[in-house]
Amino acid sequence: MIEEALQKRAKLVDEAIPKFLPITPPDELYQAMRHLLDAGGKRLRPSALLLAAEAVGGKPENMLPAALAVEFVHNFTLIHDDIMDEADLRRGLPTVHKKWGVPRAIIAGDALYSKAFEILSCTKSEPAQIVESIELLSKTCTDICEGQWMDMNFQTRKDVKEEEYMRMVEKKTAVLFAAAVKIGAILSGGNRDVSRALWDFGIKTGVGFQIYDDVIDLITPEEILGKAQGGDIIEGKRTLIIIHALSKGVTIEALGKYNATRSEVAAALTALKDSGSIDYAMTKAISFIEEGKSMLKALPETEAKNILIGLADYMIARKY
């Protein structure tokens, strides 16, 4: 049921992309902007925004510009993340910078970022609600940049604490989930208590999502994941799994080693499994998801609320 409900809303988003982001001159710029969008994706953030709107009595079709704005911001971060990580693949396709080069990829990401705010202003809501949503999304983008900066700094440190990781993940990943559902509520006339509850739901489930995403990076084969397995290890990222393992004195030879062989990565994966660090992260992810779902008690009983609960569960049940 949950996957069908998400697919229904993801389809609305997919169908709206060409309308709000048509290929116009200079064609290659818009092709680069559309590259990852057209490659698909789960559309979890825009779907969550539509569901939050429905949960407070809004019409999802009126919220499509806002949903796309959130998805454009997400894809802007992916383009820039791939440049920083020197990644070759995303969603099974060459990354934007691999296809068009780094300078053009930066421009494509920047253009998606600016386009997000342009279309957010087109939402059929009260002007004050639109202004509040623009303010929230702009603050969210700043938080994402702060989180990314923290994440990069962590790669050169051996003493990253779990609390620091949680703060970084909240900024880098969770705030966009939280902003999506809160914007859906704001633009649909939700009251302050409901909007706050949805924000808290987004923060908790967003953190759980990222922790689980780190697990997926390690345990999912490349042909399913669409990118190299164990990439976080090679890049030296201090995920919760790595932080936990290092705190237990586990040696990870491949950590931060860009020329690590497949056998070295496999040995690292085995060490992380044997140390219990992967299970530890899974337990943490589940705990955050459950806490997030409890925040939805503030919402009236609706089908959309039940789907949001299902979405939270889906975040730690998906395989890629």
Side-chain angles (χ1 to χ4, degrees), residues 242-306:
I242 297 296
I243 292 168
H244 181 265
L246 292 177
S247 72
K248 296 186 70 175
V250 177
T251 300
I252 310 168
E253 297 288 350
L255 186 63
K257 186 177 179 181
Y258 277 86
N259 61 348
T261 63
R262 285 183 178 271
S263 61
E264 286 174 322
V265 173
L269 292 173
T270 299
L272 293 172
K273 289 175 184 175
D274 292 347
S275 68
S277 297
I278 291 178
D279 287 341
Y280 176 80
M282 281 290 293
T283 300
K284 279 283 187 180
I286 293 168
S287 174
F288 273 100
I289 294 295
E290 291 302 318
E291 195 174 349
K293 290 193 298 184
S294 71
M295 302 297 174
L296 296 181
K297 292 176 182 176
L299 273 66
E301 291 300 323
T302 61
E303 181 186 5
K305 173 184 173 179
N306 291 331

Side-chain angles (χ1 to χ4, degrees), residues 25-90:
D27 290 10
E28 268 202 299
L29 168 60
Y30 287 91
Q31 288 165 2
M33 292 166 68
R34 287 266 298 268
H35 182 62
L36 295 182
L37 287 163
D38 290 345
K42 294 175 282 293
R43 313 292 192 217
L44 296 182
R45 294 157 191 83
S47 294
L49 186 151
L50 297 178
L51 286 165
E54 291 174 56
V56 300
K59 296 180 179 180
E61 59 269 22
N62 291 342
M63 295 298 112
L64 281 171
L68 283 175
V70 168
E71 186 69 358
F72 286 5
V73 166
H74 174 54
N75 278 263
F76 138 72
T77 67
L78 296 182
I79 291 173
H80 285 199
D81 275 354
D82 287 339
I83 292 169
M84 289 181 276
D85 294 343
E86 299 181 10
D88 295 338
L89 292 174
R90 170 75 67 174

Side-chain angles (χ1 to χ4, degrees), residues 45-286:
R45 294 157 191 83
S47 294
L49 186 151
L50 297 178
L51 286 165
E54 291 174 56
V56 300
K59 296 180 179 180
E61 59 269 22
N62 291 342
M63 295 298 112
L64 281 171
L68 283 175
V70 168
E71 186 69 358
F72 286 5
V73 166
H74 174 54
N75 278 263
F76 138 72
T77 67
L78 296 182
I79 291 173
H80 285 199
D81 275 354
D82 287 339
I83 292 169
M84 289 181 276
D85 294 343
E86 299 181 10
D88 295 338
L89 292 174
R90 170 75 67 174
R91 295 172 181 163
L93 295 176
T95 49
V96 175
H97 72 276
K98 275 291 176 182
K99 189 172 176 65
W100 282 280
V102 170
R104 287 178 172 81
I106 292 172
I107 294 171
D110 291 349
L112 272 177
Y113 173 85
S114 59
K115 182 63 74 171
F117 291 93
E118 178 187 334
I119 64 171
L120 179 55
S121 67
C122 298
T123 308
K124 295 178 181 178
S125 297
E126 294 297 319
Q129 295 167 345
I130 294 173
V131 170
E132 185 179 356
S133 297
I134 289 174
E135 182 182 2
L136 176 55
L137 188 58
S138 61
K139 174 64 169 63
T140 296
C141 290
T142 302
D143 283 340
I144 291 170
C145 292
E146 290 177 1
Q148 177 66 16
W149 191 278
M150 292 170 67
D151 192 20
M152 295 175 73
N153 279 350
F154 288 175
Q155 295 181 39
T156 60
R157 288 177 48 194
K158 297 181 180 179
D159 61 342
V160 179
K161 301 292 189 293
E162 183 173 317
E163 300 78 32
E164 293 179 283
Y165 166 86
M166 293 302 181
R167 285 199 300 274
M168 180 274 291
V169 167
E170 182 174 316
K171 285 179 173 288
K172 183 179 175 180
T173 301
V175 289
L176 191 55
F177 276 110
V181 290
K182 187 174 182 179
I183 287 170
I186 291 169
L187 293 174
S188 300
N191 65 45
R192 294 290 175 183
D193 289 341
V194 167
S195 296
R196 181 67 203 189
L198 282 163
W199 170 268
D200 292 339
F201 163 79
I203 288 292
K204 295 297 182 182
T205 55
V207 171
F209 172 91
Q210 183 59 61
I211 295 171
Y212 184 70
D213 209 53
D214 294 340
V215 172
I216 285 178
D217 177 82
L218 297 182
I219 67 175
T220 308
E222 180 176 331
E223 58 270 18
I224 297 175
L225 191 62
K227 59 182 180 178
Q229 184 180 10
D232 286 352
I233 296 173
I234 296 170
E235 292 162 24
K237 290 191 175 182
R238 293 318 192 251
T239 64
L240 181 61
I241 303 161
I242 297 296
I243 292 168
H244 181 265
L246 292 177
S247 72
K248 296 186 70 175
V250 177
T251 300
I252 310 168
E253 297 288 350
L255 186 63
K257 186 177 179 181
Y258 277 86
N259 61 348
T261 63
R262 285 183 178 271
S263 61
E264 286 174 322
V265 173
L269 292 173
T270 299
L272 293 172
K273 289 175 184 175
D274 292 347
S275 68
S277 297
I278 291 178
D279 287 341
Y280 176 80
M282 281 290 293
T283 300
K284 279 283 187 180
I286 293 168

